[in-house]
Amino acid sequence: MKLHLAVLPGDGIGPEIMEQGLAVCQAVCDKFGHELTYKYAICGADAIDKVGDPFPEETFQTCMEADAVLFASVGDPKFDNNPNAKVRPEQGLLAMRKRLGLYANVRPVETFDCLVHKSPLKDELVRGADFICIRELTGGMYFGEKLEGTDVAFDTNKYTRPEVERILHVAYQYALQRKKHVTVVDKANVLASSRLWRAVAQEVAKEYPEVTTDYMYVDNAAMRMIQEPKFFDVMVTENTFGDILTDEGSCITGSMGLLPSASTGEHTPVFEPIHGSWPQAKGLNIANPLAQILSVAMLFEYFNLKEEGKLIREAVNASLDQNVRTPEIQVEGGAKYGTKEVGQWIVDYIKK
């Protein structure tokens, strides 16, 4: 297979973890006889500094011409601490999602037995937890009509029936491949947009009689994720709720540095770790590259290259089992490994 990627390292630790993700991607392609080419493009704070636009037109064209986008992270404190900034790195991420039509964000939440002790939750609650959050990614408050004034501000949480229907179908398709259980998360007791979600979900559910469907208010879902994470199989929700819940779900594993994601829709799919740019760690060789590497696994699996994805997951699990880990998840007294060393160990494992 010929695979051409758009590579967007972004900000902070992005370039460091991207280097390891690409090395793993290349190693897998070499092993399985695939031809890999890629083109770098700028985004986020890096792009603002260089051209004044967090998602410039050239980057968009690079993404459109690729088979897939491998993305790392955006964000910089100089924008976080300036509420008057008119251009922000995160606007580039939103623009990429909107212009590529990436309406479905897929975030798996899976625990690793050897890291259960790192979770803030009790062992018996998290061991074996394995679910997927399907987040609608191009609608809701993040993209609705806005007003930002000195005395009043609002963000419009607008959804249309087609937007809700298409993300629900994505969730049910995933459920059919898993435990056949979908949880629709909304706030239908308060929000009109959520009542549309629930009404449409009740209609779509009838098309999948083999799947069990339940409905849960977002506050209850947040609580249930902590109390009983193993209850969930496929969770589907709107943009804002999904943003919050998926970050909450990432903490179940004990580290945000372990979880990948995929964003799919109308054009080129994007694969990225769920964590941020962690600018404080930039250049220190301590960032965990596993979420970026597992995003590469999701990329291969998207193209139905199951064995390639399986090998990456096997290598990641082996590295964890043998305590080849970055500092935030290393066992007490364990050897010191940095971003580069963990990535190289996984590359070497794949090459065996």
Side-chain angles (χ1 to χ4, degrees):
M1 175 181 177
K2 291 184 178 181
L3 183 63
H4 179 64
L5 304 180
V7 177
L8 279 59
D11 307 321
I13 61 170
E16 298 168 64
I17 59 172
M18 180 63 77
E19 182 180 351
Q20 306 313 314
L22 270 180
V24 168
C25 189
Q26 185 68 67
V28 170
C29 286
D30 291 344
K31 190 177 188 72
F32 287 86
H34 303 305
E35 181 182 330
L36 176 65
T37 57
Y38 49 87
K39 182 178 180 180
Y40 283 93
I42 58 174
C43 65
D46 178 49
I48 294 174
D49 290 341
K50 290 175 178 174
V51 299
D53 185 343
F55 189 64
E57 182 65 25
E58 185 175 347
T59 297
F60 170 64
Q61 291 301 327
T62 298
C63 293
M64 288 293 289
E65 292 165 4
D67 298 310
V69 177
L70 193 59
F71 173 81
S73 59
V74 294
D76 190 285
K78 67 184 177 184
F79 297 95
D80 297 340
N81 298 326
N82 181 10
N84 296 316
K86 299 302 181 184
V87 182
R88 298 177 179 277
E90 293 76 13
Q91 291 171 344
L93 187 57
L94 296 179
M96 178 171 65
R97 292 168 178 170
K98 195 70 172 181
R99 296 193 69 184
L100 294 178
L102 304 175
Y103 60 83
N105 182 233
V106 181
R107 291 192 177 186
V109 178
E110 183 179 359
T111 55
F112 298 84
D113 286 348
C114 64
L115 288 173
V116 164
H117 66 287
K118 287 287 187 179
S119 174
L121 303 183
K122 294 179 180 178
D123 184 305
E124 61 267 26
L125 293 180
V126 298
R127 189 177 296 273
D130 177 9
F131 61 96
I132 292 180
C133 295
I134 307 292
R135 169 189 169 193
E136 200 290 322
L137 205 56
T138 57
M141 283 195 290
Y142 291 2
F143 294 97
E145 182 183 353
K146 301 178 184 298
L147 173 68
E148 186 171 352
T150 56
D151 298 310
V152 64
F154 63 76
D155 301 275
T156 307
N157 197 45
K158 178 183 176 182
Y159 272 104
T160 65
R161 173 177 287 271
E163 288 176 316
V164 179
E165 287 178 340
R166 67 184 181 181
I167 194 67
L168 286 166
H169 284 296
V170 171
Y172 279 100
Q173 289 300 315
Y174 271 95
L176 289 174
Q177 302 170 42
R178 293 173 54 88
K179 302 172 187 174
K180 296 182 173 62
H181 175 202
V182 168
T183 302
V184 180
V185 177
D186 58 36
K187 192 63 177 172
N189 57 336
V190 175
L191 300 176
S193 57
S194 280
R195 286 191 284 275
L196 173 66
W197 267 78
R198 185 164 296 206
V200 174
Q202 289 172 345
E203 296 172 11
V204 173
K206 296 175 183 177
E207 300 180 36
Y208 300 90
E210 63 271 61
V211 177
T212 299
T213 303
D214 47 48
Y215 304 88
M216 199 174 291
Y217 296 147
V218 62
D219 41 356
N220 185 27
M223 181 173 62
R224 192 74 176 268
M225 284 175 66
I226 300 303
Q227 292 179 327
E228 192 183 357
K230 286 182 280 191
F231 168 82
F232 297 101
D233 177 30
V234 176
M235 173 190 295
V236 59
T237 191
E238 57 105 82
N239 204 342
T240 305
F241 297 161
D243 191 2
I244 297 166
L245 290 174
T246 51
D247 279 0
E248 179 186 4
S250 71
C251 294
I252 292 172
T253 68
S255 172
M256 290 185 75
L258 295 169
L259 299 181
S261 75
S263 298
T264 64
E266 299 169 3
H267 300 296
T268 316
V270 174
F271 301 88
E272 62 181 294
I274 71 161
H275 58 70
S277 61
W278 196 16
Q280 298 84 355
K282 180 181 179 180
L284 299 181
N285 194 39
I286 61 173
N288 191 341
L290 294 187
Q292 185 79 68
I293 290 169
L294 288 169
S295 295
V296 175
M298 291 188 75
L299 187 156
F300 280 115
E301 290 160 353
Y302 175 86
F303 291 105
N304 205 34
L305 300 173
K306 305 296 185 184
E307 290 301 311
E308 289 84 339
K310 181 181 178 182
L311 178 57
I312 294 174
R313 295 181 186 280
E314 179 186 306
V316 167
N317 282 315
S319 72
L320 292 172
D321 288 341
Q322 297 189 35
N323 295 328
V324 181
R325 313 178 187 184
T326 45
E328 92 284 4
I329 56 171
Q330 183 57 289
V331 297
E332 187 175 352
K336 293 183 179 180
Y337 292 93
T339 311
K340 296 177 182 178
E341 290 75 24
V342 171
Q344 187 61 53
W345 193 96
I346 292 173
V347 166
D348 291 341
Y349 185 98
I350 289 169
K351 287 182 176 180
K352 289 179 182 177

